[in-house]
């Protein structure tokens, strides 16, 4: 019921200004003009709700999963952009100006007051730029921290500019009731941004961690373990992730999301399996023991806690092993009696991590570029491999948990659905971060 509740709450929040505007507005205008105002109102309310869909609020992302939250965030941002782009072109009246209220009959559609129009124009251009930069972030190849800072500042500017434009240039936004509604909604949006960038870092500063060890697992994969410094640690579930900041101020942008590969039952220390990919991860081997670290979490719903299926299928590609290793370790430490199988795919044998710990029982190793002496599975994790590993009963009764490259997860999910596995027994979270 939680996803349904969140969807309903979103729809209510987005449409509330539209409904109130229709209630307090003046005489109806031609349809195209009312449509223009309606699209502008919806675009603004959707932009404000984007602050809440940032993925940093556990009540949302832990309820439906971070990947679902972020995909919805992207979809709604693009929808708001389309509404905003259409909004000014649907007005067909001749601009008129004058001191507000400039029209006692409230029939005018637009004002020539440039200060009121200019904020809307700037927000219009900023919103399009922000969306395009987010869509092309990977192709532009600039630092995640830089993008995150620009994204946050840009979103804040857009919210403030749209509030001014809506209140001082809008037919409905100028109504006292709507002015306060927009002010309250903008305040909540800005407050959520301040929570992420100020309040959470303040709380982190009071609960520091220290790097306990840095261990090289493979030529480009490391295990980083941190321990609480003066506090009891973190309450988390096996399979979840945190935002990790090592060696920087809690107020810096230098934090990245990493899945926890340790088990809650193992104690307060927390471990991460990290592959060298981006600016921060390439420096993992240089981190010194004792370096201060900060954690924000735990996030995500990639957890089997409280589930009653008779078996657990873990399907990992590369560093996607991290959260699944945490689940497997928790099952072993707690004496979980459920059946379990792990499929672990890599390109070459040198990328296989934790092989001694994983062992050979109920673990299927897959290499796409195997050595001549390789005795395990070859190729990629696909439908044919799944059919060799799992029985009809397991497809229908087990819970399937996966993490890895997007292509692998798409193939596995499609095949599971084709084999009749219920969607509520397929758990996955996709990440597109450094």
């Amino acid at each position: 019921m939680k996803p349904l509740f969140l969807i309903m709450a979103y729809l209510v929040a987005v449409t509330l200004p539209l409904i109130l505007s229709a209630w307090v507005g003046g005489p109806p205008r031609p349809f195209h003009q009312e449509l223009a105002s309606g699209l502008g109102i919806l675009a603004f309310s959707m932009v404000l709700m984007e602050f809440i869909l940032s993925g940093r609020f556990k009540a949302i992302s832990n309820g439906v999963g971070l990947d679902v939250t972020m995909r919805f965030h992207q979809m709604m941002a693009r929808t708001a952009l389309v509404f905003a782009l259409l909004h000014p072109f649907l007005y067909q009246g001749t601009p008129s100006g004058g001191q507000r209220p400039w029209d006692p009959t409230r029939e005018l559609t637009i004002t020539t007051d440039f200060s009121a129009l200019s904020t809307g124009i700037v927000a219009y251009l900023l919103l399009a730029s922000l969306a395009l930069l987010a869509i092309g972030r990977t192709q532009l190849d600039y630092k995640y921290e830089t993008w995150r800072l620009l994204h946050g500042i840009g979103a804040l500017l857009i919210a403030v500019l749209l509030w001014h434009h809506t209140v001082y240039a809008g037919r409905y936004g100028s109504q006292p009731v709507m002015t306060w509604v927009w002010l309250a909604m903008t305040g909540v949006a800005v407050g959520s941004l301040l929570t992420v960038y100020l309040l959470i870092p303040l709380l982190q500063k009071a609960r520091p961690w220290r790097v306990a060890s840095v261990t090289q697992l493979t030529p480009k994969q490391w295990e980083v373990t941190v321990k609480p410094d003066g506090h009891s640690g973190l309450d988390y579930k096996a399979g979840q992730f945190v935002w990790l900041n090592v060696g920087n101020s809690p107020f810096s942008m230098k934090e990245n999301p990493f899945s926890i590969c340790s088990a809650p039952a193992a104690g307060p220390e927390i471990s991460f399996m990290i592959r060298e990919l981006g600016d921060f991860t390439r420096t993992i081997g240089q981190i010194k023991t004792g370096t201060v670290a900060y954690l924000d979490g735990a996030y995500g719903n990639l957890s089997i806690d409280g589930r009653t299926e008779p078996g657990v299928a873990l399907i990992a590609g590369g560093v996607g092993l991290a959260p699944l290793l945490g689940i497997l370790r928790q099952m072993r430490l707690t004496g979980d009696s459920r059946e379990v199988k792990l499929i672990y795919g890599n390109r070459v044998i040198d990328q296989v991590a934790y092989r001694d710990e994983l062992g050979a029982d109920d673990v299927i190793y897959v290499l796409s570029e195997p050595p001549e002496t390789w005795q395990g599975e070859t190729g990629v994790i696909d439908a044919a491999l799944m059919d060799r590993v799992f029985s009809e009963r397991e497809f229908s009764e087990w819970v399937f948990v996966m993490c890895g490259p997007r292509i692998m997860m798409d193939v596995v999910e499609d095949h599971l659905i084709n084999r009749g596995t219920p969607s509520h027994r397929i758990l996955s979270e996709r990440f597109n971060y450094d």
Side-chain angles (χ1 to χ4, degrees):
M1 291 297 293
K2 192 168 187 178
L4 180 60
F5 172 78
L6 291 174
I7 291 172
M8 293 303 297
Y10 177 85
L11 291 175
V12 169
V14 165
T15 58
L16 179 63
L18 187 65
I19 295 171
L20 290 177
S21 294
W23 179 49
V24 302
R29 300 169 297 175
F31 174 76
H32 63 85
Q33 295 178 3
E34 295 292 356
L35 179 60
S37 292
L39 290 178
I41 291 169
L42 285 175
F44 186 21
S45 58
M46 291 171 74
V47 166
L48 295 179
M49 286 302 296
E50 289 296 281
F51 287 79
I52 310 300
L53 296 175
S54 65
R56 299 301 289 266
F57 296 95
K58 298 177 185 178
I60 299 175
S61 60
N62 287 11
V64 298
L66 181 69
D67 58 333
V68 174
T69 303
M70 296 313 297
R71 281 202 297 268
F72 191 72
H73 173 80
Q74 293 169 347
M75 182 174 65
M76 290 300 100
R78 295 170 190 181
T79 303
L81 176 60
V82 172
F83 288 174
L85 293 177
L86 292 174
H87 160 70
F89 295 105
L90 290 173
Y91 289 117
Q92 297 177 6
T94 301
S96 301
Q99 192 70 28
R100 290 182 64 87
W102 60 84
D103 178 27
T105 64
R106 309 198 62 77
E107 292 293 332
L108 297 178
T109 61
I110 197 168
T111 174
T112 53
D113 181 0
F114 183 73
S115 64
L117 292 177
S118 63
T119 50
I121 294 170
V122 174
Y124 184 97
L125 297 174
L126 271 178
L127 181 59
S129 301
L130 205 67
L132 290 174
L133 285 174
I135 293 171
R137 180 173 70 87
T138 303
Q139 290 76 12
L140 293 173
D141 194 30
Y142 55 100
K143 291 183 177 180
Y144 167 75
E145 293 84 3
T146 303
W147 171 81
R148 184 184 170 201
L149 178 63
L150 291 175
H151 201 70
I153 293 175
L156 179 61
L157 284 174
I158 290 170
V160 174
L161 290 169
L162 284 179
W163 179 85
H164 180 272
H165 175 71
T166 300
V167 170
Y168 290 93
R171 179 184 194 238
Y172 297 104
S174 61
Q175 294 285 345
V177 171
M178 293 311 303
T179 298
W180 283 107
V181 168
W182 286 122
L183 183 62
M185 291 184 66
T186 304
V188 171
V190 174
S192 70
L193 199 66
L194 295 177
T195 298
V196 172
Y197 289 99
L198 291 178
L199 178 58
I200 291 178
L202 280 172
L203 297 175
Q204 289 177 324
K205 192 172 182 63
R207 294 174 62 85
W209 296 69
R210 296 284 175 180
V211 175
S213 65
V214 179
T215 305
Q216 188 166 18
L217 302 170
T218 70
K220 289 189 176 294
Q221 294 182 118
W222 301 79
E223 181 182 84
V224 177
T225 300
V226 297
K227 59 183 179 181
D229 184 7
H231 56 92
S232 59
L234 181 70
D235 182 18
Y236 70 99
K237 299 176 182 178
Q240 290 189 299
F241 74 95
V242 302
W243 290 79
L244 176 65
N245 177 342
V246 179
N248 302 291
S249 164
F251 297 96
S252 77
M253 297 289 174
K254 296 182 179 180
E255 58 175 0
N256 293 270
F258 293 110
S259 294
I260 302 171
C261 69
S262 53
E269 292 190 352
I270 293 180
S271 297
F272 307 93
M273 177 185 176
I274 301 175
R275 182 182 177 186
E276 295 181 18
L277 287 174
D279 297 317
F280 166 69
T281 54
R282 280 193 289 266
T283 65
I284 290 293
Q286 303 171 19
I287 297 175
K288 304 296 183 183
T289 301
T291 301
V292 67
Y294 298 99
L295 273 59
D296 176 25
Y299 293 96
N301 66 348
L302 200 68
S303 168
I304 62 170
D305 286 14
R307 303 191 69 98
T308 58
E309 289 86 355
V312 180
L314 306 172
I315 304 171
V319 75
L321 174 69
L324 310 191
L325 179 61
I327 293 173
L328 185 61
R329 284 172 164 172
Q330 181 73 359
M331 293 180 71
R332 290 176 175 178
L333 286 173
T334 58
D336 195 312
S337 61
R338 284 175 288 185
E339 297 179 77
V340 61
K341 290 182 182 179
L342 167 65
I343 300 178
Y344 179 26
N346 285 283
R347 184 174 60 85
V348 296
I349 195 169
D350 285 346
Q351 294 176 341
V352 179
Y354 299 103
R355 194 171 183 183
D356 290 340
E357 177 183 349
L358 294 175
D361 294 339
D362 298 320
V363 179
I364 297 90
Y365 299 94
V366 187
L367 296 180
S368 58
E369 298 179 13
E372 293 182 0
T373 58
W374 180 249
Q375 299 297 316
E377 293 283 351
T378 60
V380 296
I381 301 175
D382 57 13
L385 174 63
M386 296 282 290
D387 286 340
R388 291 197 298 272
V389 173
F390 300 106
S391 66
E392 193 71 33
R393 179 186 65 84
E394 292 165 347
F395 275 120
S396 62
E397 296 181 359
W398 283 25
V399 58
F400 287 77
V401 190
M402 67 195 75
C403 188
R406 180 173 300 178
I407 294 176
M408 181 208 81
M409 290 198 291
D410 288 343
V411 169
V412 171
E413 285 181 343
D414 289 344
H415 186 62
L416 288 173
I417 292 172
N418 290 336
R419 292 301 304 265
T421 305
S423 59
H424 67 273
R425 290 183 180 152
I426 303 174
L427 307 181
S428 66
E429 281 192 328
R430 290 163 169 79
F431 299 90
N432 189 27
Y433 301 101
D434 177 12

